Structures are given as structure tokens and as C-alpha cells.
Amino acid sequence: MLMCMSISGYSQELSSVMALGLKCFRLMHPAFCNYLAALTRPVSNITLKTVSGRQHDHKQHMAYSAVPVRHFATKKAKAKGKGLSQTRVNINITLVEDIINLEEVDEEMKSVIEALKDNFNKTLNIRTSPGSLDHITVVTADGKLALNQISQISMKSPQLILVNMASFPECTAAAIKAIRESGMNLNPELEGTLIRVPIPIVTREHREMLVKLAKQNTNKAKDSLRRVRTNAMNKLKKSKDKTSEDTIRLIEKQISQMADDTVAELDRHLAVKTKELLG
């Protein structure tokens, strides 16, 4: 009997404690949940705000989490990131020569640079000289020939160049067309088999036109470079069945790196030429 009364009293006391605990939990539940949520996020993503109020005669202090914000890279940040140097590849070409001849690819890319430099030196000068007409290509019945192969070129005066077509008079019309379309702003005049080429006055417009031609020639050089790169990549694809993916990927990166270096060199020569032409 005494034991039953003790158990009954203990049960009532336990019920009272549980009721009080449940009441306290109801009061603290929102803040407690927000607190746990806040612990799982970085401090920078949480905005704390205290709200004072009364509910059942108890002050409440609530922590509200901030709305999640996705941070996108700005144009300024992207531009800054472009300047960061990336890891460069330096493959020993002898170790991969059975897959692709990287030395040959490198020579082809360098030839693109040399061709552009040669073009700049021969056709894009402020002062036109006899030498600048030498390699103008003339389309004849026998194929494409350099102007200096079918004529004699001389300087009559600082303002006039003479092109004597006496040895190949049948090519005179083709030579005039080639000179006029050379992109050098030349307007040839014909006297029998003698082509008179007045040297244009150096004006600001003439300088800007030469710069425009320099850019066009640079873009053509880049087109040639892309063909070299594409041919190299196509050769590499043929070895995919007998070469590991990691090796192929490494060689691809090497080829792309070589092409990027060549583009940078082409742009450098263009910048130097532009500065020279504009004065």
C-alpha cells in the first residue's frame, strides 16, 4: 500500500516536471532551432537581430538568419584573374616523338611569325621604296611570279618609282593590277611598257590605313596559326587508341600553350609596327 502511494506520488511529480519542461521548451524552441541553424553556417552568412517582446511574461531574444546570397565574380575580378599566371607545361619532345613531332609543330608556328615580320618589312613602310615592290605577286599565264622577276624596278626620284616591263610586256596589265591591289595605297600609271608609281604623300589618313593593313595581316597570320594548331591536334587524335588519356591531355596542353605564346608574339610585333607607323 505504502509502495503504491510512493509510486503514485513519484508519477505526479514526474508529470509536473515534464509539463514544466515542455512549457520551457515551447518558449525556447524557436530561438534554439535558429541557434542550431546558425552554428551550421559561416558567421558572414548570419545576421543577428534581437527582438524584445513578451510572451507569457517571458522576454524573447530571437536570432534570424540572413537570406542566403550567391556571390558572382564581377568583371573587375575576372579581369584581375586573367592576369594570374597558370601552370605551364614543359614536355621533353624526345619522349613523345613517337606520338607527335612537337619540334616540327614549333617550327611551323615560328614560320608564321617570320612571315608576318617579312610582310611588315616589305609592304608596310611610311616611305615606299623600290624594295617594297619586289615581292608583289603578279598572276601571269605561267603562274604567280614576284614583280621583280618580270621587271626592273628603280627609283626615279623620292616621289616616283619606275617599273620597266620591257622584258615581259605581256605581263604589264597584270603587273599594274597587282600594284594597285597590293594594299600599299599605290596608283600606278602606264607609259608604253613603263609603269610609273607615284609615292603617296605621308598623311595621317595614310598612316592609319597602313595600321589597318597591319591588323589585317596579323589576323591572317593568326588564321594560319590556327590551321597549324588544328593539324597538330588532328595528328594527336590518331594516337588516342595507343596512348593514355593523361599523356594525350598533357600534349594537347603543350600545343595550346605553344599557340598562345605565338599569338602573344604576333600581337607584340603588331604593337611595335603600329607605333612605328603612327609615329
Side-chain angles (χ1 to χ4, degrees):
M1 182 70 176
L2 183 59
M3 183 179 293
C4 291
M5 291 177 63
S6 298
I7 293 175
S8 177
Y10 176 75
S11 298
Q12 290 179 358
E13 184 178 350
L14 181 60
S15 297
S16 299
V17 172
M18 290 179 64
L20 181 60
L22 182 61
K23 184 177 181 181
C24 292
F25 179 74
R26 285 175 179 172
L27 292 174
M28 67 176 288
H29 174 66
F32 182 70
C33 291
N34 281 293
Y35 172 71
L36 290 178
L39 290 177
T40 62
R41 289 192 296 272
V43 176
S44 59
N45 291 342
I46 299 175
T47 300
L48 297 179
K49 182 178 180 182
T50 301
V51 180
S52 296
R54 286 187 173 274
Q55 182 177 354
H56 303 293
D57 296 328
H58 291 277
K59 274 192 176 182
Q60 287 185 320
H61 298 277
M62 307 291 288
Y64 293 93
S65 60
V67 177
V69 178
R70 183 176 180 182
H71 298 283
F72 293 92
T74 62
K75 290 183 178 179
K76 187 175 181 180
K78 288 180 180 179
K80 186 177 180 181
K82 287 182 180 179
L84 299 177
S85 59
Q86 297 181 350
T87 305
R88 291 180 64 83
V89 178
N90 189 16
I91 298 176
N92 188 334
I93 59 176
T94 58
L95 297 178
V96 296
E97 60 184 3
D98 57 330
I99 302 173
I100 188 171
N101 191 336
L102 288 179
E103 188 174 11
E104 183 179 293
V105 175
D106 184 56
E107 289 176 356
E108 290 179 2
M109 290 185 178
K110 286 180 178 177
S111 68
V112 173
I113 298 174
E114 293 303 317
L116 181 67
K117 289 167 62 178
D118 189 59
N119 176 274
F120 280 176
N121 292 332
K122 291 178 178 177
T123 64
L124 296 177
N125 295 296
I126 295 299
R127 297 291 179 184
T128 305
S129 64
S132 62
L133 304 185
D134 285 349
H135 297 281
I136 289 179
T137 302
V138 181
V139 180
T140 70
D142 297 324
K144 295 181 179 180
L145 299 172
L147 182 60
N148 64 351
Q149 291 180 304
I150 57 175
S151 67
Q152 292 180 338
I153 305 173
S154 61
M155 197 84 172
K156 174 71 173 178
S157 70
Q159 290 78 36
L160 182 65
I161 295 176
L162 298 179
V163 181
N164 192 335
M165 299 294 299
S167 299
F168 295 89
E170 68 277 10
C171 299
T172 302
I176 290 178
K177 183 175 184 294
I179 294 170
R180 185 173 288 117
E181 296 177 356
S182 65
M184 299 172 65
N185 194 32
L186 300 176
N187 188 24
E189 302 168 356
L190 181 63
E191 290 184 3
T193 57
L194 189 65
I195 301 174
R196 298 167 60 88
V197 185
I199 298 175
I201 299 173
V202 180
T203 62
R204 184 68 183 179
E205 289 74 17
H206 179 58
R207 290 175 181 271
E208 291 175 351
M209 185 207 66
L210 291 178
V211 170
K212 185 177 179 180
L213 288 174
K215 291 179 180 178
Q216 291 176 357
N217 292 339
T218 303
N219 288 333
K220 289 179 181 178
K222 290 180 179 179
D223 289 339
S224 299
L225 176 63
R226 274 191 285 271
R227 286 192 289 272
V228 173
R229 181 185 181 279
T230 300
N231 290 338
M233 290 297 190
N234 289 338
K235 288 180 182 178
L236 189 59
K237 287 179 181 178
K238 296 177 181 178
S239 302
K240 284 191 173 182
D241 294 338
K242 56 183 179 180
T243 309
S244 69
E245 291 184 6
D246 289 341
T247 302
I248 293 293
R249 195 177 299 112
L250 199 62
I251 297 175
E252 286 177 344
K253 189 172 182 179
Q254 177 77 57
I255 295 172
S256 296
Q257 180 178 286
M258 292 162 59
D260 291 342
D261 290 344
T262 305
V263 169
E265 187 70 7
L266 293 174
D267 288 338
R268 188 184 70 81
H269 285 293
L270 174 61
V272 171
K273 194 65 180 179
T274 299
K275 185 177 180 180
E276 174 193 321
L277 293 173
L278 293 179

